Amino acid sequence: MPMPTKTVYLETFGCQMNELDSELIAGSLSALGYRFTGQSEQADIVLFNTCSVRERAEQKVWSRLGALKTRKKSHPDLVVGVLGCMAERDGVDLIHRMPVVDVMCGPAELDKLPELIDNAVRTKASLAGSSPEIAIRKSASQIALQGNSSRRSGTLAAAQDSLESLDLSRMVSPIDTNTARSSYVRITRGCNKFCTYCVVPHTRGAEIHRPPTHIIDECKRLVDSGVIEITLLGQTVNHYRYEHDSAVSIDGVLQPQKGRTYKGSHNRDAFAGAQTTTFADLLYQIHEQVPGIERLRFLTSYPRDFGDDVLQVIRDCPRICRYIHVPAQTGSNRLLKMMNRGYTIEEYDEFIDRVRAYLHQPEIGRPLMLSGDIIVGFPTETDEDHDATKRMLERSRYKNCFIFKYSPRPGTVAYDKIPDDIDDKIKRARNNELLVMQTEISDSIASEQVGKSFKVLVEGISRREHRKRGTEIKAGSGMVGITIDGQSARAPVAVLDESEITGTVQLSGRTDGDLIVFFDVPASEANDLVGTIRDVRVNHADRLALHGSL
Ligand code: 5AD
Ligand code: SF4
């Protein structure tokens, strides 16, 4: 099956879930002999892993595909693939609109991608020499179209197996000093919330939770290869819940079931006999069973169904980060209802207060950092609704907040039932107003950190230092040639070449609460610091960044 020496360009759009999918795809294609390049022009196979959450992300992909038309005329054997949410959402329409596309593969079918690409490459090879028109017609009929989310296809169990095989196939290779020591691990796929604006439940399908043993094994393998920070991924990560079959396996020994309660995080047998592994259980088990993880994070939390058990585990486990991304979307109860978010703003506030009460401990150097997402200009949004969002933003005091203009997405309830009636000018003005407010809040949180010391995971040479030196940011070895929105993935991880070791360099790293810290070190020490956790004292804050010294 392998078609060695073929070169692949893989560009990723959208969320961390897509970044992880791209990493897994790249791993499985590399193992089959494909090589990767960061330059689309050098590739025999161009793949876009796409996002449909907002129209803008889709437009970028359309324009990339448009740009490939000329190239395809001169290189008819070029294979073009659209992966991820756009493949799922647009299906055959996408090929009609964009005949350059040879392969489509929805997010639920990515384990079959190597086969699809191989088919496409072979089809092209067998058509070499035919007249271009025949070749195009024939190859169009050979298109290996895949797009079938678990909501539409057969049983949830079948979907579960197919999805699991991609994560299970993960290639873990030992990390060299050039590489980030940070990895994503999926715990849940899909989403069942059906917020009325959101396309994710339609493209990624029903919520499916991975078995805890698979998750823990993956974490162990990553740690063995040199990873020290793991971020667990799910659309609603705190909904994680795994129902075990008739017996559970603990350390490989089958245990009779006895029902479960969380008995405190210092009890190693806390989960013996468990029938269900909850998110709190999972966090605790990973923390205890994989001590090599120096930092454990998770994304994204849903503001409902977040029990005190999870907060207790985070509080009691020193290596779980005090950082929670928990989008409110709006401060208006009327709009929360129209969005089908399932909570009121009072409930959201209560949640934030509860999280702070449990986790905000600046006196032991562990301030809690929150971040959020907001949608402005949701249909019918009034000035009063917008004011309510401003007050919510003030109260929440996020470290940072992603603010989006509402983008109507075909297939969603809001698209079908509620006209997009807010003028783009108003959307933009409200967006800017919130951005200005958030910048002030972020600044003030940064200033509060001056004079304090933090454990900082040193990620590499800062972007500013690269600009100053005119050096290139080198991507990590496992990720060479994968780009995210056109930029090298995993930047700014990099070390200095022998010839570059002069003077001092600025390194960048992150605190447990995900604050970015810059600090200068002698160039001769830089390479040894990258990928380690160090104590950094913050000397001053300038706009959203902290500056310190070792
Ligand atoms: N328009 C604008 N923003 C959206 N998001 C999701 N769907 C839309 C949409 N149709 C935002 C939400 C979500 C984030 C990932 O993207 O804020 O939390
Ligand atoms: Fe979309 Fe809502 Fe699910 Fe988040 S929780 S992925 S916004 S449907």
Side-chain angles (χ1 to χ4, degrees), residues 138-183:
K138 278 203 199 155
S139 79
S141 67
Q142 297 265 355
I143 282 165
L145 169 65
Q146 293 281 328
N148 220 347
S149 83
S150 52
R151 244 178 249 297
R152 276 190 264 128
S153 74
T155 64
L156 202 58
Q160 199 157 345
D161 290 346
S162 169
L163 289 171
E164 189 58 20
S165 68
L166 179 69
D167 287 288
L168 282 180
S169 72
R170 185 170 201 161
M171 299 290 156
V172 176
S173 48
I175 278 171
D176 65 30
T177 45
N178 255 354
T179 316
R181 285 165 190 272
S182 185
S183 270

Side-chain angles (χ1 to χ4, degrees), residues 365-418:
R366 303 201 70 192
L368 171 74
M369 294 293 153
L370 296 170
S371 67
D373 295 351
I374 290 175
I375 297 176
V376 294
F378 189 78
T380 76
E381 187 183 62
T382 62
D383 286 338
E384 288 73 49
D385 294 321
H386 179 59
D387 284 342
T389 299
K390 291 200 290 196
R391 290 195 298 273
M392 180 277 291
L393 191 62
E394 256 159 21
R395 290 192 301 271
S396 302
R397 282 201 102 230
Y398 301 122
K399 165 193 91 94
N400 66 303
C401 182
F402 302 93
I403 301 160
F404 305 107
K405 290 190 296 177
Y406 171 67
S407 167
R409 307 311 296 137
T412 60
V413 170
Y415 181 88
D416 291 336
K417 300 230 165 97
I418 329 173

Side-chain angles (χ1 to χ4, degrees), residues 15 52-55 197-200 235 300 325 327 329 341 373-376 402 404-409 412:
C15 60
S52 292
V53 166
R54 282 169 295 277
E55 200 185 348
Y197 53 80
C198 185
V199 80
V200 169
Q235 306 293 348
T300 288
H325 177 65
Q329 311 296 1
R341 287 291 286 179
D373 295 351
I374 290 175
I375 297 176
V376 294
F402 302 93
F404 305 107
K405 290 190 296 177
Y406 171 67
S407 167
R409 307 311 296 137
T412 60

